[in-house]
Amino acid sequence: MFYDLVQDKNWEFATTPFEDFNATKEQLFQAFVHWSRKSGDDGEAATTYNPSKALRCLEAYVEWMDKNCQDMNLKGSTMVEIAEKLKTKITHDKKGRLVWWFDIGGLVLKDIKKNVPPEDTLRFFVWMSHLVLFDKGSQENGFVFVEAFGRNTGMMEMFTVVTMDLSTKLDRLTIGILPVKMEKCFIYDNPTWIRVMMALLSPFLTKKMKQRIVSIPNKANPMEFLEEEVGKDNIPVGVTHLEGTVEKDLVAQTLERLTSVITDEVET
């Protein structure tokens, strides 16, 4: 049904980084169809899909990519330096879900603001988003987002680390563009302003959203929460207050593969 809807579209997907992820246009379509599935009330795998919903999301994706990425270098081989600076990691958990780890507390935000141009940050997050998009675990099981804020992270410092224009583009990319389903969001090591913000937002969140967003109390041990949720053997090394064992996460593995290919081509 979905192929019937897109057969007359003349989309070239010239800006989509298929090559880095050994992906195809058909796999891109598959990601949008997976995203459109209807969740069962009992948590079992869904058996119904919404092709029209998938098409609308794909149309928004094509429009956003064409508008923002025409002159953007999305080669993974150019992402190594910024990946080292932003330190974001990706693994899979014991349920087969993709887990995206973002350790804000382990960053020096002033240095990020000074040394990482907005266009590089956008490039990296677009590239990372496609790593998530093409991942089979993410497509079939959804993804989990884990964010360590850092108790000394200031609100102004946090909200000014990226420009308003960049923030708007990233918000649009992550809300309504990417065909990925967030199953859980864990935040921990939270500064006071985050706890206040969560308390203010709580009355306006749906029951389902409240179940998805878990704020781990600062008095608690985040390792216990996350070990139970994702499994100890799936936590990357170096994340604040966690005892991870994964030395090379999916980001590191992918970039290592891509840079080794470049090196082999140069030697040849």
Side-chain angles (χ1 to χ4, degrees):
M1 291 176 65
F2 185 73
Y3 271 106
D4 288 342
L5 294 175
V6 301
Q7 65 178 350
D8 295 329
K9 304 292 184 180
N10 296 316
W11 293 325
E12 297 181 358
F13 300 105
T15 57
T16 300
F18 292 113
E19 186 177 351
D20 277 5
F21 308 107
N22 298 317
T24 64
K25 182 172 66 175
E26 286 69 27
Q27 288 173 311
L28 180 68
F29 290 164
Q30 185 180 56
F32 283 90
V33 174
H34 270 299
W35 171 81
S36 75
R37 68 189 181 274
K38 182 179 179 181
S39 300
D41 295 333
D42 55 3
E44 294 184 358
T47 56
T48 59
Y49 297 81
N50 188 333
S52 296
K53 181 180 178 181
L55 178 63
R56 290 193 298 271
C57 189
L58 177 58
E59 288 173 336
Y61 166 86
V62 171
E63 180 182 353
W64 193 94
M65 292 293 292
D66 286 348
K67 179 180 179 180
N68 296 285
C69 303
Q70 287 291 347
D71 300 317
M72 185 180 290
N73 185 349
L74 289 176
K75 291 289 185 182
S77 55
T78 69
M79 304 291 176
V80 176
E81 185 176 350
I82 187 171
E84 292 175 350
K85 291 178 179 178
L86 295 181
K87 300 180 181 179
T88 185
K89 303 176 185 292
I90 286 178
T91 61
H92 291 98
D93 70 3
K94 60 185 182 182
K95 299 178 182 178
R97 300 173 299 186
L98 179 142
V99 188
W100 191 337
W101 307 82
F102 200 36
D103 188 5
I104 295 175
L107 302 175
V108 180
L109 295 182
K110 291 182 179 179
D111 289 347
I112 297 295
K113 184 177 180 179
K114 180 180 179 180
N115 298 318
V116 181
E119 54 270 24
D120 280 352
T121 300
L122 182 62
R123 281 196 314 116
F124 181 67
F125 275 97
V126 172
W127 183 85
M128 283 282 292
S129 295
H130 283 84
L131 191 158
V132 176
L133 185 157
F134 286 121
D135 182 81
K136 185 177 181 181
S138 174
Q139 288 185 15
E140 297 182 357
N141 306 304
F143 82 101
V144 176
F145 190 69
V146 182
E147 188 166 20
F149 272 97
R151 300 182 191 183
N152 296 320
T153 301
M155 183 170 68
M156 290 302 296
E157 182 183 23
M158 178 67 186
F159 285 110
T160 59
V161 70
V162 297
T163 64
M164 183 64 70
D165 180 59
L166 174 58
S167 178
T168 300
K169 289 179 180 179
L170 290 176
D171 285 346
R172 180 61 180 145
L173 174 65
T174 55
I175 302 174
I177 298 295
L178 289 178
V180 293
K181 285 183 176 288
M182 185 183 74
E183 298 295 325
K184 284 277 190 176
C185 175
F186 290 94
I187 59 174
Y188 72 94
D189 204 24
N190 300 315
T192 301
W193 61 270
I194 282 289
R195 299 198 299 273
V196 172
M197 184 178 294
M198 291 298 297
L200 292 173
L201 290 176
S202 181
F204 303 99
L205 299 177
T206 64
K207 181 179 179 181
K208 181 179 289 188
M209 188 58 68
K210 287 181 180 179
Q211 293 173 341
R212 289 179 179 176
I213 300 177
V214 180
S215 179
I216 302 174
N218 284 350
K219 293 182 180 180
N221 182 355
M223 185 65 188
E224 294 180 0
F225 277 81
L226 296 170
E227 184 176 355
E228 175 67 23
E229 184 69 26
V230 308
K232 184 176 182 179
D233 294 337
N234 302 306
I235 299 175
V237 170
V239 182
T240 299
H241 299 320
L242 300 181
E243 301 170 6
T245 59
V246 178
E247 293 284 350
K248 288 186 179 181
D249 71 302
L250 190 57
V251 179
Q253 292 176 30
T254 303
L255 291 178
E256 185 177 271
R257 171 176 61 81
L258 294 173
T259 52
S260 65
V261 168
I262 296 296
T263 300
D264 290 343
E265 290 178 350
V266 171
E267 290 178 348
T268 301

